Amino acid sequence: KSFDKQIASLAKSNNIEIIGLETVGEQMNAFAAISDAHQISLLRLTLAYADQREDQFETIIDAYAKRKLGLVLHLGKAMAKIKGFEIASSDAFNSALIHKRNDRMFKRSLPLIQRGNAFIAVGAGHLIGTTGLVAQYKRAGYKLEAID
């Protein structure tokens, strides 16, 4: 069972309303915004590292546990460089699937936060960097605290 499904199941069992910050269609449009050439390049990069998939997951989990989420976004670029792939494809992926979606998630989450008692769950990549939700909430004047 995915973590998303576990959170949703827990909310439902406690009669807590679940509100999506984006639609499935919007998510699919984000993927579609990446050119075919970049998608093919990313697929080839994935295949080039297929035998190291477990190591990649361990690296990502370790970075997350150490609160070094920025490392995850840079990992794709570093891997592309090592294997001689275009970094532009990694940038296109991050732009379409992370940075552009952050703005939508931020804007749609504000009324929920202002209403109070909100729990916002997003993928870790949406938390980091200058376009990340953490930075956007701070710029909007919210105080954030990390919890364990």
Side-chain angles (χ1 to χ4, degrees):
K1 196 175 194 182
S2 74
F3 191 58
D4 294 357
K5 286 182 181 178
Q6 290 178 13
I7 292 172
S9 177
L10 182 61
K12 284 178 184 177
S13 69
N14 286 288
N15 296 319
I16 297 171
E17 181 182 18
I18 300 170
I19 301 169
L21 296 180
E22 60 184 352
T23 67
V24 172
E26 288 169 331
Q27 291 175 342
M28 294 301 106
N29 288 338
F31 279 102
I34 303 170
S35 73
D36 289 348
H38 286 312
Q39 288 186 42
I40 290 167
S41 179
L42 291 167
L43 179 57
R44 287 184 175 142
L45 177 62
T46 300
L47 293 173
Y49 283 99
D51 62 333
Q52 297 172 20
R53 194 84 176 135
E54 290 299 318
D55 290 339
Q56 291 173 31
F57 284 133
E58 288 299 321
T59 300
I60 291 168
I61 291 167
D62 186 58
Y64 185 84
K66 292 178 180 174
R67 298 184 187 269
K68 295 183 179 185
L69 298 177
L71 176 68
V72 176
L73 289 181
H74 297 295
L75 183 62
K77 284 185 182 185
M79 290 168 55
K81 221 174 183 180
I82 290 168
K83 295 283 187 176
F85 284 85
E86 285 186 35
I87 292 178
S89 295
S90 181
D91 288 339
F93 177 88
N94 289 338
S95 176
L97 291 167
I98 303 292
H99 306 303
K100 289 181 181 176
R101 292 172 60 216
N102 288 346
D103 289 333
R104 177 173 43 238
M105 291 179 190
F106 172 71
K107 288 173 186 165
R108 290 184 181 166
S109 69
L110 281 179
L112 303 173
I113 292 170
Q114 291 165 352
R115 190 169 72 187
N117 202 27
F119 176 82
I120 310 279
V122 298
H126 296 289
L127 300 175
I128 57 178
T130 58
T131 68
L133 294 176
V134 170
Q136 290 195 51
Y137 291 131
K138 285 181 178 179
R139 281 194 299 272
Y142 290 95
K143 180 183 174 189
L144 286 82
E145 293 180 32
I147 57 172
D148 291 319

